[in-house]
Amino acid sequence: EMKRTPTDVPIVLAETEFGKLWMLIDTGSPDVIITPNTAARMHMPITPAPISLVDADGHRHRIDGITPVTQLSLGAANFSHFIAFVSEIGNVQDHDHPPSGIAGLPLFGDVLLTLDYLDDRIIIQPGSLPPPDGINVLPLYRNGNHLSVPLRIGDREIDAVVDTGYSGTIIIPDSMKEDFPGAEKPVAQSLVRAFYSFNAMKIAMLDEDLHIGQHIVHEPIVAVSKTPTVTLGAQYLKQFAITIDQTHHRIRFARPGGKALRMPSFRPEIERELAAMKPTPVPPPTKAPTVQPSTQPSAQIDP
């Protein structure tokens, strides 16, 4: 069974030879991470290592070390003999299911990972997706340490990182906002949590539709930020059952009955959405009390 944090980040109960722990399923993370408190509680052996994690905003955090994991179970799926980083996971929180670790992409490299937001379940199984058809199954690109999917906005195709650990809608880099009509007209400002930092974002509504295969989002809401990549987050991902096939570089966005999603415009609800976010009006950009987690760490070796 898949749980969700209040901001729709998927979290599951995992079990190791040392004990049980709640782990975030974060497709934006290239690492498997265990928190220091959890490692200490479970008496996991830790070996110091000169490694730092880097979050989506480029902020570095030195890990406590590495630990060998002989076996980790997520439901009926078992993973064995891998190394996890021991590190704080920064700004990620959930009072009902306190996250003790992060299950990142390497854990699911040779299986099909399905995150079914519609029925709140996670499915891990062998196999492969059918070839991309541009309807439900799309190509999946390796973009550095992350996985990207092609989206269309208007007549332009862009690659967006698929990040289940980012609780927002879509992040557009500030340097690319001219490519997205409407992004240059922010309606609010918000503060977003990365792993180890905070980042101010401007909230805008695009003038053109967003296409994810056959699925259409009218007048999509986006966040404009200094982050380097376009990122697709949980507020759109939660509309689907998503299956990731890293081996064959494919991803499926499924809806009940195979029907296409046609999300209506957010415009009638924009005031309610923004009120729920409690944003700071723009201009002027003063305080920004809303916080959303975005977790995209990657490892770097320190000198």
Side-chain angles (χ1 to χ4, degrees):
E1 182 183 7
M2 183 179 83
K3 304 292 186 181
R4 284 194 253 172
T5 70
T7 52
D8 291 310
V9 176
I11 187 169
V12 297
L13 186 62
E15 185 169 3
T16 74
E17 68 268 30
F18 302 104
K20 296 181 179 181
L21 69 159
W22 289 101
M23 298 189 77
L24 299 168
I25 305 297
D26 184 3
T27 62
S29 172
D31 308 304
V32 178
I33 303 173
I34 306 293
T35 63
N37 284 344
T38 301
R41 171 173 61 86
M42 294 183 172
H43 305 288
M44 303 174 78
I46 301 175
T47 302
I51 297 173
S52 289
L53 300 181
V54 183
D55 69 15
D57 294 332
H59 291 83
R60 297 163 62 91
H61 176 79
R62 183 82 170 239
I63 70 170
D64 291 46
I66 59 176
T67 185
V69 180
T70 302
Q71 181 171 319
L72 183 143
S73 299
L74 299 175
N78 297 307
F79 304 90
S80 59
H81 302 289
F82 61 90
I83 297 296
F85 292 157
V86 179
S87 174
E88 296 293 350
I89 56 177
N91 296 316
V92 183
Q93 299 177 357
D94 183 344
H95 294 299
D96 294 328
H97 315 97
S100 299
I102 290 176
L105 285 176
L107 206 59
F108 311 105
D110 58 357
V111 296
L112 290 182
L113 169 66
T114 297
L115 297 173
D116 186 348
Y117 289 87
L118 304 174
D119 289 326
D120 285 322
R121 58 179 183 159
I122 178 173
I123 303 171
I124 302 169
Q125 60 188 352
S128 63
L129 289 177
D133 57 12
I135 300 174
N136 288 318
V137 181
L138 303 178
L140 192 64
Y141 305 122
R142 176 70 64 173
N143 180 9
N145 288 321
H146 305 297
L147 299 177
S148 296
V149 62
L151 309 177
R152 281 195 302 113
I153 295 183
D155 59 358
R156 295 170 300 284
E157 185 174 285
I158 59 166
D159 293 339
V161 173
V162 180
D163 187 356
T164 59
Y166 167 54
S167 67
T169 54
I170 294 178
I171 299 177
I172 293 175
D174 187 71
S175 60
M176 296 177 62
K177 65 184 178 183
E178 290 79 8
D179 297 329
F180 301 91
E184 77 283 0
K185 299 176 291 186
V187 296
Q189 180 165 299
S190 180
L191 189 65
V192 177
R193 290 176 175 175
F195 249 41
Y196 310 111
S197 60
F198 294 88
N199 184 22
M201 290 189 177
K202 294 179 180 179
I203 309 301
M205 179 182 292
L206 300 186
D207 297 335
E208 299 173 304
D209 293 343
L210 166 70
H211 296 256
I212 308 172
Q214 69 172 339
H215 310 289
I216 301 174
V217 180
H218 296 291
E219 297 180 310
I221 292 176
V222 301
V224 181
S225 168
K226 294 180 180 179
T227 51
T229 57
V230 178
T231 301
L232 182 64
Q235 297 313 305
Y236 289 144
L237 297 176
K238 73 179 184 181
Q239 310 297 330
F240 303 97
I242 299 166
T243 301
I244 296 175
D245 179 353
Q246 294 189 61
T247 301
H248 301 93
H249 313 291
R250 299 164 186 169
I251 184 169
R252 180 170 59 203
F253 291 83
R255 295 278 302 171
K259 296 181 179 179
L261 170 70
R262 294 186 65 89
M263 289 183 65
S265 169
F266 281 98
R267 190 173 297 279
E269 301 180 356
I270 186 65
E271 291 185 2
R272 179 180 62 81
E273 294 288 335
L274 294 176
M277 294 164 54
K278 298 181 181 178
T280 301
V282 176
T286 55
K287 291 184 178 180
T290 295
V291 177
Q292 296 174 332
S294 177
T295 56
Q296 295 181 346
S298 60
Q300 291 190 357
I301 304 299
D302 291 342

